Amino acid sequence: LPSAYTDPTAATVAFNGTAFAVTPATAGTGIDLDALSGELHDAFASGAASTTVTVRESSIDPTADTASAQKAADSANAMLANAGFYVGDERTVPIDAATASKWLTVAPVDGKLTIRADQAAIQKSVDALPALVNRAPVNATSIVDSSGSVLDDVTPGVAGRQLGDVSGAAAAFAAQLAEGKGSFALPVKDTPFASTTLLRKIDVNLSTETLTVTENGNVVDSWLISSGRGDFATHTGSFTVNWKLDSQNMGNTDLTKAPFYYQPDVKWVMYFNGDEALHGVYWHDNWGTPMSHGCVGMPEWRAEWLFDWSPQGTEVNVHY
């Protein structure tokens, strides 16, 4: 009875462009041979020359069922989420889903759908690893004070790295993928970075009305300033920049009250001794002459440069 038979369809797993998807299995149909044989036996054993029997259908299982396929698809999709070559916990070279799908196939083995990986396809990515993993160290540069304490990290140091031997990486990764593990640890050697420290200082000479900046003892620049005048002469001593403001209104809008002046929008303010500060001046250009109520004034463009150059904690020496 050929019409009584329908072939089963095995479940399949295929990449649909974004993930591995399952096409469910369908069971086949056939004749229940045990029941048919039993009826014929009983009839002939009773001496009947002919008999009528009922042909009952039975289910025929596919070679790969839906549950097995879903398990394989779930495993493959889990690997897609984190597939790549790792340095420590960092996924240094991610493998996108489209690339990983070309590495992986899901095929039946002993009636179960099993993940297999193509070593030759993986080798292409392994060959590209040196350019993606190797990097030169980035040397650190820090601004420090005289005690060596770091005031600011100009350039944080980053260790370099050199890829080790990966001649067997493709085969090893293929074996891992077949077991459901999508992350491959790379052998990498760190290359240490060098550190450079910059000791920056601000020197204010009240005799010459000049400000000089030095870095590691070398003069970087120098220019004329206007310090405090008369009873408001800028105090001498060794100080540090302890408070910085991009802009500030100085004085009192009520000019009948101390300090008896008002100056709005003073830029690039760096306090170093109480209410004495280094800052920009836009209301005069009489540089080289004491003019202020104790602050050290300078052209705004000079003050902006000094503001950016001097982190909080920079040493300020004021002297005659």
Side-chain angles (χ1 to χ4, degrees):
L1 298 173
S3 62
Y5 289 89
T6 304
D7 289 334
T9 303
T12 59
V13 177
F15 188 71
N16 64 9
T18 57
F20 284 94
V22 174
T23 300
T26 57
T29 57
I31 295 174
D32 187 343
L33 296 178
D34 289 339
L36 180 59
S37 297
E39 289 192 41
L40 291 173
H41 173 272
D42 291 344
F44 296 141
S46 66
S50 64
T51 188
T52 299
V53 295
T54 302
V55 177
R56 297 179 178 87
E57 291 184 349
S58 65
S59 178
I60 302 176
D61 293 331
T63 55
D65 60 28
T66 302
S68 173
Q70 191 61 58
K71 182 178 179 181
D74 290 345
S75 178
N77 288 329
M79 286 192 290
L80 294 183
N82 66 356
F85 297 92
Y86 285 69
V87 176
D89 293 330
E90 174 195 279
R91 185 161 61 151
T92 307
V93 184
I95 302 299
D96 61 87
T99 299
S101 69
K102 296 175 183 176
W103 294 2
L104 305 175
T105 56
V106 183
V109 176
D110 297 329
K112 293 184 179 180
L113 288 171
T114 304
I115 297 173
R116 293 178 176 176
D118 183 346
Q119 179 179 332
I122 296 171
Q123 186 64 51
K124 295 178 182 178
S125 294
V126 172
D127 292 340
L129 285 175
L132 300 172
V133 175
N134 292 343
R135 71 182 181 199
V138 176
N139 292 332
T141 302
S142 302
I143 300 172
V144 299
D145 61 17
S146 293
S147 68
S149 297
V150 175
L151 305 180
D152 186 29
D153 287 318
V154 178
T155 306
V158 179
R161 62 190 179 200
Q162 188 71 29
L163 184 65
D165 181 15
V166 290
S167 57
F173 201 178
Q176 282 190 197
L177 290 166
E179 296 173 356
K181 184 179 179 181
S183 59
F184 186 82
L186 291 172
V188 170
K189 180 180 179 181
D190 285 339
T191 306
F193 60 84
S195 297
T196 300
T197 57
L198 305 174
L199 174 57
R200 292 180 175 177
K201 293 185 178 183
I202 300 171
D203 182 89
V204 178
N205 189 324
L206 301 179
S207 296
T208 59
E209 287 292 300
T210 55
L211 182 150
T212 302
V213 289
T214 62
E215 186 174 87
N216 292 343
N218 300 312
V219 174
V220 175
D221 206 345
S222 183
W223 57 84
L224 291 173
I225 48 92
S226 287
S227 65
R229 177 178 60 184
D231 293 340
F232 303 102
T234 305
H235 291 83
T236 59
S238 297
F239 312 102
T240 60
V241 175
N242 52 59
W243 186 21
K244 299 175 67 175
L245 294 169
D246 292 350
S247 179
Q248 181 188 25
N249 297 330
M250 288 187 171
N252 195 327
T253 54
D254 184 350
L255 298 181
T256 65
K257 297 180 180 179
F260 309 106
Y261 73 90
Y262 177 68
Q263 204 68 52
D265 196 24
V266 180
K267 295 186 181 301
W268 317 118
V269 183
M270 296 190 294
Y271 286 96
F272 62 88
N273 180 34
D275 59 359
E276 294 181 336
L278 304 151
H279 62 73
V281 171
Y282 60 83
W283 53 92
H284 77 78
D285 59 1
N286 193 22
W287 314 119
T289 302
M291 294 284 291
S292 78
H293 280 68
C295 290
V296 177
M298 64 198 75
E300 285 190 313
W301 69 274
R302 289 286 196 183
E304 182 178 8
W305 180 89
L306 186 64
F307 189 94
D308 293 336
W309 187 82
S310 311
Q312 187 169 312
T314 299
E315 297 166 32
V316 181
N317 183 34
V318 182
H319 62 92
Y320 283 98

